[in-house]
Amino acid sequence: MEPFPMAFAVIRGEFAGSTWDAVARRFDELRWGNKDFASHQYVRDVIASVVDSGVAGRLGVTTSMHDLVVVSLETTNGHYETIKVHAPGVLAPVDDGCFVLTFYGNKRRKRGCQVVEQHPVADAVPAFWRMVGEKFGVTRDPGQPTG
């Protein structure tokens, strides 16, 4: 899949994100106030999986409109590699029933690394955690649900 406008997030300097609980509340409020927001349920499922993961304190989060931008809080150089969970919309053209995860990083590669993955919405939580494990080395505590 080719990158699309606004596919990647770049964060440098001090990370000024939100808390996972605050982002969960925001998505709940959006869902309650908008019947069309049901198409964003997979994003809310990812949020819930992080809140329940036992490792939420190792992952930072902010939002870009309705997309999630996730970083590892274990970085030490002020340049954050990012995983973006794209919400449905015209800027993220995907196949029906699918969603997109993107990764942007250049800490080890100096030239940058951009990854775009399309997955079925039903696989949102496991696909997210696979990418988090692969790119950030963060996995859920063993006693937590796998989603």
Side-chain angles (χ1 to χ4, degrees), residues 38-117:
S39 64
H40 291 67
Q41 183 60 43
Y42 69 91
V43 181
R44 182 59 180 90
D45 293 344
V46 168
I47 296 165
S49 78
V50 175
V51 169
D52 295 338
S53 70
V55 295
R58 295 176 62 192
L59 299 172
V61 65
T62 190
T63 56
S64 173
M65 289 297 288
H66 300 125
D67 299 335
L68 297 180
V69 180
V70 181
V71 302
S72 169
L73 294 176
E74 296 171 351
T75 191
T76 58
N77 66 1
H79 179 86
Y80 294 88
E81 294 185 313
T82 60
I83 293 173
K84 195 170 184 182
V85 180
H86 292 268
V90 295
L91 293 178
V94 298
D95 295 339
D96 288 342
C98 293
F99 83 106
V100 171
L101 285 173
T102 61
F103 169 78
Y104 176 81
N106 67 5
K107 287 195 289 190
R108 292 181 214 106
R109 298 170 251 338
K110 303 295 182 203
R111 291 172 286 149
C113 176
Q114 298 178 345
V115 176
V116 180
E117 296 179 356

